[in-house]
């Protein structure tokens, strides 16, 4: 268990508890750089603060119980990378930048209400789609599946989703087809399935062509294989 003021690198792979303070390595030439929260990739020399951690002065404050994880920065950077807490929580907590699968539950004026499996529903503007305008509105109906990312995720504000990236392009986000198979797995398993070399996905791709969408909120949508194969995949994932 991590104690207060323990260096973060010494706690990697160990259990940390809420309230623990993890000290970051000192880099005098990088004092002006700030932690970038919720980014999808670590820029060279930058340090990212992932789920379960919060910036606190010169260190990191643990907000969830779990195992501390660390990923080195790419490009051979001496500093940087990402720290996060790998926890086995059951309810998903929205994180800025997370890609999730939601279910449209209602239309409220110009905003759609989307169930993402959290404590409250997220809002999705009709303008948050590629090419959407006031005259050219997206065809979104109650019950549709939406694949998008969080633009706003704060404990004091309603979560807000978008289906476009920073360049205004869909990049695979938007309404998901209705012919697929949707099922739910644990949040920890989703992170394993998103690993670059996931054995389950690699083996299944050699047998059947399929389309797979993974949401960080524990939802998986699958299309392109027989229903029995989709069911077997969901059972294997649930037992993994």
């Amino acid at each position: 268990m991590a104690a207060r003021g323990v260096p973060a690198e010494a706690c990697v792979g160990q259990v940390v508890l809420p309230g623990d303070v993890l000290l970051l390595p000192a880099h005098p030439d990088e004092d002006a750089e700030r932690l970038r929260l919720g980014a999808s990739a670590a820029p060279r020399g930058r340090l990212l603060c992932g789920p379960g951690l919060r910036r606190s002065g010169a260190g990191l404050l643990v907000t969830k119980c779990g195992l501390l994880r660390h990923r080195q920065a790419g490009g051979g950077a001496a500093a940087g990378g990402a720290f996060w807490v790998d926890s086995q929580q059951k309810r998903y907590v929205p994180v800025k930048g997370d890609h999730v699968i939601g279910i449209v539950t209602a239309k409220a004026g110009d905003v759609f209400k989307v169930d993402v499996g959290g404590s409250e529903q997220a809002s999705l503007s009709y303008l948050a789609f590629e090419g959407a305008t006031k005259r050219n509105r997206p065809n979104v109906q109650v019950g549709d599946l939406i694949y998008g990312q969080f633009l706003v995720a704060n404990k004091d504000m309603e979560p807000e989703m978008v289906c476009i990236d920073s360049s205004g392009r869909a990049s695979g986000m938007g309404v998901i087809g209705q012919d697929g198979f949707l099922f739910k797995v644990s949040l920890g398993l989703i992170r394993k399935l998103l690993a670059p070399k996931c054995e389950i996905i690699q083996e299944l791709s050699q047998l059947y062509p399929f389309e797979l969408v993974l949401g960080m909120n524990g939802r998986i949508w699958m299309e392109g294989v027989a229903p029995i194969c989709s069911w077997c995949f969901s059972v294997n994932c649930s037992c993994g």
Side-chain angles (χ1 to χ4, degrees):
M1 179 179 66
R4 297 184 65 87
V6 176
E9 294 181 350
C11 298
V12 174
Q14 300 182 13
V15 176
V16 292
L17 300 176
D20 289 343
V21 176
L22 307 177
L23 302 179
L24 299 175
H27 297 283
D29 57 336
E30 296 177 7
D31 287 342
E33 293 186 345
R34 302 173 58 188
L35 286 176
R36 298 180 58 189
L37 302 180
S40 59
R44 183 179 179 87
R46 297 289 182 105
L47 180 63
L48 303 183
C49 179
L53 298 173
R54 184 181 302 170
R55 184 64 189 263
S56 176
L60 299 176
L61 177 66
V62 180
T63 59
K64 293 181 182 179
C65 177
L67 297 177
L68 182 66
R69 303 295 188 186
H70 179 241
R71 183 182 66 246
Q72 295 289 344
F83 284 97
W84 73 94
V85 176
D86 188 1
S87 60
Q88 297 297 326
Q89 66 186 47
K90 294 184 178 180
R91 169 169 285 182
Y92 173 73
V93 178
V95 177
K96 181 180 178 181
D98 272 5
H99 288 74
V100 297
I101 298 177
I103 304 174
V104 179
T105 59
K107 291 183 179 181
D110 296 335
V111 176
F112 302 102
K113 294 297 183 179
V114 183
D115 174 23
V116 294
S119 58
E120 60 179 327
Q121 297 186 357
S123 62
L124 174 65
S125 172
Y126 74 92
L127 294 174
F129 292 83
E130 181 178 6
T133 62
K134 291 185 178 180
R135 293 186 177 182
N136 183 28
R137 297 197 176 197
N139 183 19
V140 180
Q141 304 297 328
V142 174
D144 285 349
L145 299 180
I146 299 290
Y147 180 63
Q149 64 177 339
F150 283 110
L151 180 66
V152 175
N154 190 298
K155 64 178 182 179
D156 300 320
M157 300 177 62
E158 180 186 45
E160 180 180 347
M161 288 180 60
V162 294
C163 292
I164 51 177
D165 57 18
S166 58
S167 301
R169 298 186 177 276
S171 299
M173 294 180 284
V175 179
I176 302 177
Q178 298 294 331
D179 297 331
F181 183 74
L182 179 69
F183 53 94
K184 184 175 178 60
V185 298
S186 67
L187 301 180
L189 182 56
I190 277 291
R191 290 190 287 268
K192 295 180 181 178
L193 293 175
L194 287 170
K197 297 182 180 180
C198 177
E199 295 182 357
I200 297 179
I201 297 179
Q202 287 184 349
E203 293 180 2
L204 187 60
S205 63
Q206 296 177 359
L207 299 176
Y208 307 98
F210 65 93
E211 183 178 358
L212 190 67
V213 179
L214 303 175
M216 288 297 295
N217 56 342
R219 291 173 179 169
I220 300 178
W221 178 84
M222 193 174 190
E223 182 185 23
V225 298
I228 186 62
C229 297
S230 299
W231 179 82
C232 292
F233 179 80
S234 65
V235 171
N236 290 332
C237 289
S238 301
C239 295

